[in-house]
């Protein structure tokens, strides 16, 4: 039983890793984020002063 | 293998802690007096990355409110979570800075305690000879002195992640030494939630399991060893636990920003230059007189790699491999902060302790230890003075 539970935990972790990789493989970011952090087409981050 | 009662170590660790905090305070007060620094303790010790961590503790992760785009999601969550925990326990009576100071200093004490136990378990403290090992520095306690007073260990007592990270690395190696592999996996997972480099602990974990397998079976067959991991689910689970901390943060970043690799992409805000990994970085900075702190960092990296090779030859293989890989990762992009990363990997101090123990000349030991303590005091002063080398 203990072995089964350990294998179940392993399978759970693998499923978690695969889920994160599948979910995250496509970027769902704002244009500003993509321009600055990914494509580097802008050199200044625009923000609202508080 | 040397084993001692934990009760004998702890009071000595506390005494070393008190003495070294007294020295740190002495350097701070001397600096304030000489340079007329009036900003106060929090101003001096709460700078650079501390500001980002305190921002996370107070405000959580958020979009940057600065034009350079230096966002606080570059900093991993476990340290701020611990600070928030202290804040909750103290009912909000303490500021984020002081919560961070408490977390860092408790981790420093725990790190030192288990680091001494680790090297005793490894048998490294046997036959210590020389004046440097006398009194409060004997039987492995010299390593505690290094963690508390060697160069660039000032990070271990300020609100930086280094102290928590070192504690988790020490606990990992201690658990691995005791063949408590699931516990080692948990510590590695937590290290991965503290800094991404924590993921590298999977390598020494696999090496430790291989050593255990060879001792149990008398066989060094790699394929049978791999098979044995799948046949023993506790060991398989130990390995799978290691990346769980990092993946947890990646999932959070995906939901927060839509980018699971935001902690990588945000590095652009800190440095725009691109180099060929490692080779290009060394080529740029090894003889860079116009950026002397990076040049010094480059030569320190070379010396540390040489130490890791020596450690590997002398049998500290897991530690050497971890240290080398953990250093190669930041060197794949830049030289910035590499001395801090070296200090915060812990294994360099273990290697230096063993190297000094192996010295045949008492004079060489004295010079080495004195140089380390002097370097520690100097880097505390450099921190107070905002020297770029210690950033």
């Amino acid at each position: 039983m203990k072995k089964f539970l350990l294998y179940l935990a392993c399978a759970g972790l693998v499923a978690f890793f695969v889920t994160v990789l599948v979910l995250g493989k496509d970027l769902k970011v704002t244009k500003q984020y993509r321009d600055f952090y990914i494509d580097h087409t802008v050199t200044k981050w625009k923000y609202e002063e508080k | 293998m040397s084993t001692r009662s934990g009760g004998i170590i702890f009071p000595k660790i506390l005494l070393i802690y008190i003495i070294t905090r007294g020295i740190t305070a002495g350097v701070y007060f001397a600096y304030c007096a000489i340079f007329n620094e009036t900003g106060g303790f929090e101003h001096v010790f709460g700078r650079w990355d501390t500001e980002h961590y305190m921002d996370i503790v107070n405000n959580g992760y958020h979009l940057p409110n600065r034009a350079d785009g230096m966002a606080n999601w570059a900093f991993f969550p476990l340290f701020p979570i611990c600070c928030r925990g202290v804040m909750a326990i103290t009912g909000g009576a303490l500021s984020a800075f002081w919560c961070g100071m408490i977390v860092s200093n408790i981790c420093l004490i725990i790190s030192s305690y288990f680091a001494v136990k680790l090297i005793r378990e490894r048998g490294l403290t046997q036959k210590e000879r020389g004046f440097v090992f006398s009194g409060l520095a004997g039987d492995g306690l010299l390593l505690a002195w290094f963690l508390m007073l060697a160069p660039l260990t000032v990070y271990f007592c300020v609100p930086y992640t280094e102290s928590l990270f070192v504690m988790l690395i020490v606990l990992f190696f201690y658990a691995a030494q005791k063949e408590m592999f699931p516990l080692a996996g948990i510590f590695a997972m937590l290290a991965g939630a503290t800094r991404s480099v924590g993921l590298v602990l999977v390598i020494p974990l696999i090496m430790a399991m291989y050593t255990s397998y060879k001792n149990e079976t008398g066989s060094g067959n790699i394929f049978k060893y791999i098979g044995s991991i799948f046949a023993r689910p506790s060991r398989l689970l130990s390995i799978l636990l290691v990346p769980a901390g990092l993946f947890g943060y990646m999932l959070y970043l995906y939901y927060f920003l839509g980018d699971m690799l935001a902690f990588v992409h945000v590095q652009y805000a800190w440095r725009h230059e691109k180099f060929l990994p490692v080779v290009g970085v060394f080529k740029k900075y090894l003889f860079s007189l116009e950026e002397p702190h990076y040049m010094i960092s480059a030569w320190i990296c070379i010396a540390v790699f040489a130490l890791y090779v020596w450690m590997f030859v002398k049998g500290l293989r897991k530690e050497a491999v971890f240290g080398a890989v953990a250093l190669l990762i930041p060197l794949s992009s830049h030289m910035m902060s590499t001395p801090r990363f070296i200090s915060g990997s812990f294994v360099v101090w273990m290697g230096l302790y063993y190297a000094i123990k192996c010295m045949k000349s008492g004079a060489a030991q004295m010079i080495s230890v004195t140089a380390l303590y002097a370097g520690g005091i100097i880097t505390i002063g450099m921190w107070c003075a905002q020297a770029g080398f210690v950033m």
Side-chain angles (χ1 to χ4, degrees):
Chain A
M1 182 65 178
K2 182 184 169 188
K3 252 192 167 181
F4 170 74
L5 289 174
L6 287 169
Y7 276 123
L8 196 62
C10 292
L13 277 171
V14 171
F16 171 62
F17 299 147
V18 170
T19 301
V20 173
L21 290 173
V22 167
L23 265 181
K25 66 177 171 55
D26 296 319
L27 291 174
K28 289 184 169 68
V29 298
T30 63
K31 184 177 184 313
Q32 184 188 12
Y33 182 100
R34 185 183 289 275
D35 287 344
F36 186 84
Y37 291 111
I38 310 291
D39 298 333
H40 311 318
T41 52
V42 297
T43 55
K44 280 192 168 48
W45 176 265
K46 284 187 192 153
Y47 64 98
E48 283 180 18
E49 302 253 14
K50 287 185 183 174
Chain B
M1 198 178 287
S2 170
T3 55
R4 299 289 171 99
S5 163
I8 295 174
I9 306 175
F10 194 69
K12 293 182 179 178
I13 296 286
L14 276 185
L15 186 55
I16 294 169
Y17 175 78
I18 290 167
I19 293 169
T20 53
R21 292 322 93 194
I23 293 171
T24 303
V27 174
Y28 163 70
F29 286 120
Y31 173 80
C32 290
I34 294 168
F35 296 99
N36 200 30
E37 168 64 59
T38 55
F41 187 86
E42 192 169 330
H43 170 74
V44 172
F45 287 101
R47 55 170 57 117
W48 296 319
D49 288 1
T50 300
E51 294 170 1
H52 291 286
Y53 286 115
M54 299 308 100
D55 180 37
I56 298 169
V57 174
N58 289 321
N59 306 309
Y61 288 105
H62 58 78
L63 292 175
N65 48 16
R66 42 195 294 174
D68 58 18
M70 286 184 180
N72 65 7
W73 63 75
F75 303 92
F76 274 48
L78 190 60
F79 179 70
I81 287 173
C82 292
C83 296
R84 268 281 183 94
V86 172
M87 207 178 241
I89 291 168
T90 56
L94 294 174
S95 68
F97 170 79
W98 286 106
C99 292
M101 288 292 285
I102 289 171
V103 171
S104 286
N105 283 274
I106 288 176
C107 289
L108 175 57
I109 293 169
I110 296 172
S111 301
S112 302
Y113 175 77
F114 279 100
V116 174
K117 282 178 72 74
L118 171 65
I119 59 174
R120 288 181 181 184
E121 282 288 326
R122 290 292 297 269
L124 302 182
T125 60
Q126 289 171 7
K127 297 181 187 172
E128 280 179 348
R129 280 193 205 94
F131 178 75
V132 297
F133 295 105
S134 59
L136 204 52
D139 205 9
L141 285 165
L142 187 66
L143 180 56
W145 281 98
F146 287 172
L147 288 175
M148 300 210 196
L149 193 58
L152 302 164
T153 56
V154 61
Y155 307 113
F156 300 170
C157 65
V158 299
Y160 264 49
T161 53
E162 267 68 19
S163 195
L164 173 62
F165 193 57
V166 164
M167 183 190 77
L168 292 168
I169 293 171
V170 172
L171 291 172
F172 163 84
F173 278 109
Y174 185 74
Q177 176 66 23
K178 295 284 218 177
E179 298 195 2
M180 297 158 70
F181 297 122
L183 189 58
I186 289 172
F187 289 134
M189 175 186 73
L190 294 173
T194 307
R195 286 186 54 212
S196 58
V197 166
L199 198 66
V200 177
L201 288 169
V202 72
I203 300 175
L205 180 62
I206 290 171
M207 291 172 73
M209 287 182 183
Y210 179 67
T211 303
S212 171
Y213 171 78
K214 270 199 329 185
N215 292 339
E216 282 172 3
T217 63
S219 164
N221 187 296
I222 296 286
F223 298 104
K224 286 186 178 173
Y225 160 62
I226 294 172
S228 76
I229 291 179
F230 284 94
R232 296 171 76 165
S234 64
R235 297 207 171 182
L236 181 61
L237 182 64
S238 307
I239 293 172
L240 290 173
L241 277 169
V242 176
L246 173 64
F247 270 74
Y249 188 45
M250 286 165 66
L251 184 64
Y252 169 79
L253 288 175
Y254 172 74
Y255 281 111
F256 170 45
L257 291 165
D259 178 10
M260 69 174 177
L261 293 178
F263 65 96
V264 174
H265 297 138
V266 76
Q267 296 301 321
Y268 171 74
W270 270 264
R271 54 193 82 94
H272 300 325
E273 298 162 289
K274 281 196 180 302
F275 302 107
L276 192 66
V278 186
V279 172
V281 174
F282 273 111
K283 193 175 164 204
K284 166 81 177 171
Y285 293 113
L286 209 53
F287 301 103
S288 172
L289 292 171
E290 58 270 18
E291 289 173 294
H293 58 295
Y294 286 149
M295 186 174 78
I296 294 170
S297 299
W299 286 102
I300 289 174
C301 289
I302 297 217
V304 168
F305 277 124
L307 174 68
Y308 289 152
V309 169
W310 180 84
M311 285 168 67
F312 190 90
V313 168
K314 286 293 184 181
L316 295 177
R317 295 187 173 171
K318 297 187 293 294
E319 293 81 1
V321 170
F322 169 71
V325 176
L327 181 53
L328 283 170
I329 289 173
L331 282 174
S332 65
S333 60
H334 206 270
M335 193 59 69
M336 189 187 287
S337 301
T338 43
R340 171 159 64 94
F341 298 149
I342 290 168
S343 176
S345 71
F346 165 68
V347 292
V348 66
W349 306 120
M350 198 169 158
L352 282 171
Y353 161 84
Y354 195 51
I356 288 169
K357 201 204 92 163
C358 291
M359 288 177 182
K360 295 201 178 353
S361 161
Q365 289 179 330
M366 272 302 294
I367 291 169
S368 301
V369 170
T370 303
L372 284 171
Y373 292 156
I377 290 169
I378 289 169
T379 49
I380 294 168
M382 289 174 78
W383 172 281
C384 293
Q386 298 191 72
F389 175 72
V390 295
M391 184 163 41

